[in-house]
Amino acid sequence: MADEKPIAQREEWADVVPLPQDDGPAKICAIAYLPDFEESMNYFRAIVQRDERSERALWLTERVIDGNAANYTAWYYRAKCLEDLGKDPREELKFVEELAFDNAKNYQVWHHRRLMVERLGDAADGAAELQFTTEILDADDDSKNYHAWAHRQWVLKRFKLWEGELEYIEQLLAKDQRNNSAWNQRYFVVSNTSRREDGSFDRAVVEREIEFAFKYIARSPNNQSPWNYLRGFMKPLTAFPSIVERCEEMSKKYILCAHVFSLLVDVYESEGTAESLQKGIDTCGQLIERADIMRCKYWAYRKEQLEKKVAAL
Amino acid sequence: MQRTLFLDCSRVSGLQKEDGSFQGDEWGEVDTRFSYCAVSCLSLLGRLDAIDTAKATEFLVRCRNFDGAFGCVPDAESHAGQTFCCVGALAILNALEHVDAPLLCWWLAERQVKAGGLNGRPEKLPDVCYSWWVLSALRILHRVEWIDKKALSSFILRCQDPDKGGFADRPGDMVDIFHTFFGLAGLRFLGDTSLADVDPAYALPVPTLRRMNIALPWLDEEARLAATST
């Protein structure tokens, strides 16, 4: 990246007077900047002040970003220079790509990438963007990178690259079925491709998705993600008696699995009959005593609500 | 000696977009974090009138997922940090009716893992900073009791470096100011009254906010609930 020679020693910068940081009269918690960082920033302030958008300004933004990849002022200034200098966004995408792997959780890197893709307009390569996020998610155990997923969602919508996404998600779940981001992504894809005019889902879609969730629940009942996922589709809760049966069976075997009992409480409450409400109350008891002791106060609240409903019948 | 602070509110209101969302700056990044920042700072200046609060609310509601929690933009994964931003902003906007409190607070309570700490999303590791993001949202919605307070307290204290004094994201890691603030605020919310009270929506000391006459209806409601339960 940026080489070692101080800017003050470079002939091409001789005409610029560096502008030091104005911390005001009372320096509280003054940061111990390293000399080359401070120098880069002093020259950057000078360039920004005169709004110079030249090749050397562009070079300087890279140096500043190298010192602090989260400097959004430098990123924005860089974007302005790139535009004024007529630089090819595709070249910039390569620059960003190199930085991204070392700074995968940095907001600015991702936003800058998006800006470059937007600048390419119709010439943008959506598939390449998707591939980029795939590589980020694959790197270093980073399959839950929130920025990568947000970028991926944006790419999918913008370029309508829905095909193949469900398969990709399944691959990720095969590697780690506890990847909540992948579960969220599935909901995102199904939501965007399989809703009816009125926003609802076909019964066939609902059943397919519930079965999908149960496939993973069967493998690992304590995995919270598929249980959460179920809730996106089990509407209303009372419309799925076979699911309730399965959960009741599971509750006999997985007596410490809070998720099983939790779903049952919600179903029983929705059913609202005297018998169901009583089952709900008993299930809350099991959660309080055994299955979810940590959240016993929550279950005590739910139990109380159910008791009120019984009294009101 | 009084100094008058003048802020050109159009700097902030100018960052609100058609759909009610907020950019962070002229660069254009949109995120519910920026909705929170805009709403918070304008509210402190008594200038919420400078933005379209109805549209701001509308955008936040679009970021609400089926589990009741919130993401950074519509459809984004529910995340405790983003959830704090949305709940805090909705509280300041007086629009908490858009939060399904029991549903969301259940999701928030589920952030607590066996070790006692809180995570930010299902199946992720606990981190002290979530003691703020999760707990402040729970406090605004009056349901801090839904988590195991003792277990969380122990977790936070285990994150303190006995030599340096500060707090880290998890036990044994390097300390920093960020996690120290969140750890301390979390301990306060869990009942350590040796610490000054921090407002869960503004993340500022309560006495300061009261002195500025900033309305804190969630704290007033908290006091009312405490009074009626005794």
Side-chain angles (χ1 to χ4, degrees):
Chain A
M1 248 305 165
D3 57 279
E4 299 310 316
K5 191 172 174 188
I7 302 170
Q9 286 173 22
R10 295 171 191 248
E11 220 188 286
E12 67 272 24
W13 284 94
D15 62 303
V16 179
V17 178
L19 207 57
Q21 183 164 293
D22 179 10
D23 280 332
K27 274 196 181 188
I28 304 169
C29 287
I31 298 174
Y33 298 116
L34 290 174
D36 57 349
F37 179 92
E38 193 167 346
E39 192 196 39
S40 299
M41 290 305 296
N42 290 349
Y43 275 91
F44 182 61
R45 274 181 280 270
I47 289 295
V48 169
Q49 192 180 63
R50 50 159 85 170
D51 201 13
E52 179 186 313
R53 302 190 195 177
S54 59
E55 287 287 349
R56 68 178 179 178
L58 184 67
W59 171 85
L60 187 56
T61 60
E62 187 177 329
R63 201 170 168 101
V64 171
I65 286 164
D66 191 40
N68 175 9
N71 188 326
Y72 49 87
T73 307
W75 279 107
Y76 184 41
Y77 201 78
R78 184 178 178 84
K80 287 195 275 199
C81 288
L82 289 165
E83 189 167 43
D84 280 18
L85 293 169
K87 296 291 185 182
D88 185 354
R90 270 173 292 235
E91 287 304 309
E92 187 67 1
L93 284 174
K94 289 192 197 137
F95 167 73
V96 172
E97 190 162 329
E98 283 169 25
L99 258 178
F101 284 91
D102 286 330
N103 295 278
K105 295 199 178 173
N106 168 304
Y107 288 97
Q108 290 70 36
V109 167
W110 288 98
H111 183 69
H112 191 75
R113 182 153 190 115
R114 181 157 151 170
L115 206 59
M116 293 303 114
V117 172
E118 281 176 338
R119 276 190 187 166
L120 284 167
D122 289 330
D125 185 348
E129 274 316 288
L130 213 58
Q131 179 56 24
F132 171 65
T133 64
T134 302
E135 285 167 17
I136 291 279
L137 290 168
D138 203 30
D140 272 353
D141 216 17
D142 218 2
S143 62
K144 301 182 185 184
N145 184 320
Y146 198 76
H147 307 276
W149 281 108
H151 190 77
R152 196 177 176 93
Q153 286 192 345
W154 176 74
V155 171
L156 282 170
K157 270 186 124 150
R158 175 148 167 7
F159 296 96
K160 304 196 191 333
L161 293 168
W162 304 106
E163 206 174 309
E165 189 66 0
L166 288 180
E167 285 79 7
Y168 172 66
I169 294 166
E170 283 202 57
Q171 281 169 32
L172 288 179
L173 289 176
K175 277 193 219 166
D176 177 10
Q177 59 186 346
R178 289 177 173 75
N179 186 337
N180 195 67
S181 308
W183 283 99
N184 181 70
Q185 188 75 346
R186 187 171 175 103
Y187 188 80
F188 169 72
V189 174
V190 173
S191 246
N192 275 280
T193 58
S194 310
R195 279 196 197 267
R196 290 194 283 225
E197 284 281 311
D198 64 358
S200 64
F201 293 112
D202 265 336
R203 182 81 188 184
V205 171
V206 167
E207 286 180 355
R208 183 193 72 199
E209 293 310 302
I210 291 175
E211 269 319 299
F212 184 85
F214 258 97
K215 190 169 82 178
Y216 290 89
I217 285 172
R219 288 181 202 168
S220 184
N222 277 306
N223 179 359
Q224 192 167 78
S225 296
W227 288 102
N228 268 9
Y229 189 77
L230 269 186
R231 305 307 189 100
F233 294 96
M234 279 184 75
K235 296 175 184 192
L237 281 166
T238 48
F240 304 89
S242 63
I243 301 298
V244 178
E245 259 181 62
R246 282 161 89 164
C247 287
E248 283 171 343
E249 272 309 302
M250 286 181 77
S251 72
K252 294 173 195 160
K253 185 174 170 195
Y254 299 102
I255 56 172
L256 293 178
C257 182
H259 308 303
V260 179
F261 295 99
S262 172
L263 182 58
L264 286 172
V265 169
D266 288 344
V267 171
Y268 295 146
E269 185 169 24
S270 293
E271 283 170 358
T273 63
E275 196 194 328
S276 295
L277 291 172
Q278 190 53 54
K279 283 204 273 192
I281 290 164
D282 295 340
T283 311
C284 284
Q286 289 171 299
L287 282 152
I288 291 166
E289 277 160 48
R290 261 198 328 258
D292 201 8
I293 300 170
M294 185 157 250
R295 278 163 279 271
C296 59
K297 291 224 171 91
Y298 170 73
W299 294 115
Y301 158 79
R302 291 296 299 274
K303 191 170 170 214
E304 198 186 298
Q305 298 297 109
L306 290 166
E307 283 161 351
K308 282 185 188 161
K309 288 191 174 180
V310 169
L313 281 175
Chain B
M1 234 208 283
Q2 282 274 79
R3 282 177 66 197
T4 318
L5 180 70
F6 176 72
L7 177 77
D8 178 2
C9 292
S10 69
R11 288 286 187 203
V12 176
S13 61
L15 293 169
Q16 186 171 28
K17 302 182 79 168
E18 275 294 306
D19 64 356
S21 66
F22 283 85
Q23 300 175 178
D25 53 32
E26 354 165 10
W27 198 32
E29 190 192 346
V30 168
D31 189 309
T32 48
R33 291 177 293 135
F34 303 133
S35 297
Y36 171 76
C37 292
V39 163
S40 175
C41 71
L42 287 177
S43 167
L44 289 170
L45 293 165
R47 291 301 317 279
L48 272 177
D49 62 292
I51 56 168
D52 186 334
T53 52
K55 280 228 161 256
T57 301
E58 207 179 287
F59 178 74
L60 292 168
V61 173
R62 284 179 53 219
C63 296
R64 191 186 61 204
N65 294 314
F66 68 79
D67 48 22
F70 298 79
C72 60
V73 289
D75 292 331
E77 190 184 356
S78 292
H79 184 289
Q82 310 291 155
T83 296
F84 158 74
C85 292
C86 295
V87 172
L90 287 168
I92 295 169
L93 288 167
N94 229 331
L96 283 172
E97 68 270 18
H98 295 290
V99 174
D100 182 336
L103 180 65
L104 172 57
C105 291
W106 166 235
W107 185 89
L108 289 166
E110 281 195 301
R111 295 308 103 240
Q112 190 163 33
V113 301
K114 276 207 170 67
L118 305 173
N119 63 24
R121 299 179 260 171
E123 301 299 326
K124 291 215 80 185
L125 293 174
D127 182 325
V128 149
C129 70
Y130 293 110
S131 308
W132 170 267
W133 309 124
V134 172
L135 227 50
S136 55
L138 280 172
R139 187 174 178 193
I140 291 169
L141 299 167
H142 315 297
R143 288 165 173 86
V144 174
E145 298 300 312
W146 282 9
I147 57 148
D148 183 332
K149 291 159 76 172
K150 227 170 120 206
L152 178 58
S153 216
S154 300
F155 174 82
I156 297 173
L157 291 169
R158 287 201 307 279
C159 294
Q160 184 178 26
D161 182 325
D163 300 318
K164 296 207 170 112
F167 290 77
D169 59 350
R170 49 189 77 94
D173 280 357
M174 182 101 115
V175 305
D176 62 56
I177 301 171
F178 180 82
H179 290 95
T180 299
F181 166 71
F182 294 132
L184 288 175
L187 288 171
R188 178 55 174 90
F189 288 166
L190 294 169
D192 184 340
T193 50
S194 69
L195 298 162
D197 200 5
V198 179
D199 180 76
Y202 289 100
L204 291 170
V206 173
T208 305
L209 292 165
R210 294 290 192 199
R211 198 175 63 237
M212 289 167 67
N213 286 317
I214 303 291
L216 306 172
W218 43 89
L219 288 190
D220 298 335
E221 175 68 2
E222 183 183 83
R224 199 191 62 78
L225 288 169
T228 53
S229 71
T230 44

